[in-house]
Amino acid sequence: MKTLLVTGGCGFIGSHFVRLVIQKKAWRVINLDKLTYAGNPENLDDIKNNSRYAFARGDITDPSFVGELFQKEKPWAVVNFAAESHVDRSIIDASPFLQTNVSGVQVLLDAARQHQVERFLQVSTDEIYGDADGKEPFQEEDPLKPSSPYAASKAAADLLCLAYRRTYELPLVITRSSNNYGPFQFPEKLVPLVIRNALNGDDLPVYGDGMQRRDWLYVEDNVRGIFKVMERGRIGSTYNLGTGEERTNLDVVQVLCDVIAQEANLDSAALRRRIRFIADRPGHDRRYALNFARARQELQWSPQLSFEAALRRTVCWYLDNQEWVKRVTSGEYLDYYKAVYTHTWGRARR
Ligand code: NAD
Ligand code: TYD
């Protein structure tokens, strides 16, 4: 069986993708992950003993480690999830974003080229197109206008990948998805943060006026799309993966209050009263919107679960896994939380 190298497989989306590949018995997986604050081997506890799965702890920015791994494992293809992934952290300190998201990608691209892999899939994001306010939903060939240091680092990675495609004919494919949510997401992102705070009796922080709009994609739909692009995406192509449905952040938080109240037997109105409008994220994009006609037409991919059903599933998972939440939010998380919510943007607006 051929070996697939997945990087960042202990993170949120990567762990769902690894599980899908193992379930489908598609390829043997070697998961290369540094285990940063966001990487957690527990996310793959259910498949860790599978004979088609192996874990290698390491850093994608380390050329000798990466080179030796390619030499030993001889992967036929690479899927790169490894990244610093949180916009707010990139505003506090952009350095690790440039290291991992740009230099790390270059190390992977060079190894992939040297070892002549048959496919290199770069996992990218809709944030590289920039603010969609007042525009048509973005298409794959639209220009990149990233707003945050995170988005800029991901855009730089895409450009580097496309340059390797053109210069060295690297067999490249790119996916750009909208905002994901679902089980195992680190509680720094909006959905799990609100669930955690609601269950802890804390405030529910909404940046600015809460009228920013996002396209929310359930993580299992995203990894099914990534799998299809691995199987039969056209080499050299980019695929947007989204739902075409937009919601304001305030709406997401209010719906979350209702679902949490129903599932945890709490008072929804009391939860909604804990919503706090706090100072806005600097450079905050008002809207993200994606046109995913290419994935629909070429790959017959479309999201399967409704927002309401998938959000309920997500809330139930967090209710059933409160020990996981406690473990990942001890230590470093508390300092991060203070930095963003008390010191940096902690001033309540109303
Ligand atoms: P995550 O932060 O949950 O996981 C990132 C993983 O990468 C972690 O396991 C971490 O340990 C690992 N990692 C970080 N630096 C590394 C390094 N130098 N070497 C090896 N491993 C390293 O991220 P996620 O939300 O699962 O996102 C995965 C990918 O999808 C990222 O590339 C992100 O840009 C992209 N993406 C995410 C979203 C989203 O909504 N979360 C949306 C679109 C695209
Ligand atoms: P987030 O989950 O951080 O994802 P991204 O920045 O990659 O889109 O944020 C989603 C939206 O929710 C974004 O517009 C910022 C907003 N947000 C809040 O209003 N409050 C919060 O505490 C967080 C974490 C995000």
Side-chain angles (χ1 to χ4, degrees), residues 60-82:
I60 61 164
T61 67
D62 178 348
S64 37
F65 177 85
V66 169
E68 279 164 29
L69 192 70
F70 270 77
Q71 188 65 41
K72 177 167 167 248
E73 300 289 348
K74 304 203 173 7
W76 77 277
V78 178
V79 185
N80 179 34
F81 289 95

Side-chain angles (χ1 to χ4, degrees), residues 99-309:
Q99 278 300 314
T100 290
N101 301 3
V102 186
S103 298
V105 169
Q106 182 223 331
V107 169
L108 289 176
L109 288 169
D110 281 335
R113 187 162 74 87
Q114 203 186 335
H115 291 269
Q116 299 183 330
V117 300
E118 291 169 46
R119 199 164 270 248
F120 186 103
L121 191 154
Q122 170 67 3
V123 178
S124 183
T125 163
D126 63 353
E127 302 197 21
I128 64 172
Y129 297 117
D131 201 328
D133 207 20
K135 298 185 180 158
E136 287 297 306
F138 288 120
Q139 293 184 305
E140 287 85 350
E141 313 320 325
D142 281 339
L144 310 188
K145 285 184 75 180
S147 302
S148 70
Y150 161 70
S153 70
K154 293 294 290 185
D158 277 27
L159 293 177
L160 199 58
C161 288
L162 291 166
Y164 272 60
R165 166 76 198 137
R166 176 153 174 149
T167 308
Y168 308 111
E169 297 182 355
L170 187 91
L172 171 78
V173 278
I174 297 177
T175 62
R176 294 180 183 149
S177 86
S178 56
N179 282 68
N180 282 220
Y181 63 102
F184 297 110
Q185 186 168 31
F186 192 77
E188 63 190 353
K189 307 280 181 359
L190 180 67
V191 168
L193 186 138
V194 166
I195 300 172
R196 173 179 183 267
N197 284 16
L199 298 177
N200 279 359
D202 295 335
D203 286 350
L204 312 179
V206 170
Y207 297 158
D209 61 6
M211 289 298 119
Q212 307 85 356
R213 283 179 291 158
R214 299 288 182 266
D215 171 330
W216 292 93
L217 178 64
Y218 188 56
V219 63
E220 288 182 9
D221 279 325
N222 184 21
V223 298
R224 275 191 315 98
I226 294 172
F227 192 87
K228 285 194 169 200
V229 174
M230 269 310 285
E231 279 186 315
R232 49 199 175 89
R234 262 184 306 120
I235 294 292
S237 278
T238 297
Y239 293 88
N240 287 343
L241 301 172
T243 68
E245 282 176 34
E246 295 168 35
R247 282 171 188 272
T248 65
N249 290 341
L250 183 58
D251 183 39
V252 170
V253 175
Q254 286 173 335
V255 175
L256 266 171
C257 288
D258 297 344
V259 176
I260 294 166
Q262 285 160 12
E263 297 297 336
N265 224 357
L266 298 170
D267 176 2
S268 174
L271 277 183
R272 283 180 178 227
R273 281 197 295 276
R274 298 224 305 267
I275 293 175
R276 292 282 171 275
F277 292 92
I278 64 170
D280 208 353
R281 170 188 280 174
H284 203 170
D285 286 328
R286 292 297 286 179
R287 176 179 178 236
Y288 294 139
L290 277 183
N291 176 327
F292 64 99
R294 182 180 286 170
R296 200 171 35 209
Q297 283 157 15
E298 287 185 21
L299 307 171
Q300 289 73 52
W301 175 87
S302 58
Q304 299 294 300
L305 277 170
S306 72
F307 179 73
E308 288 74 14

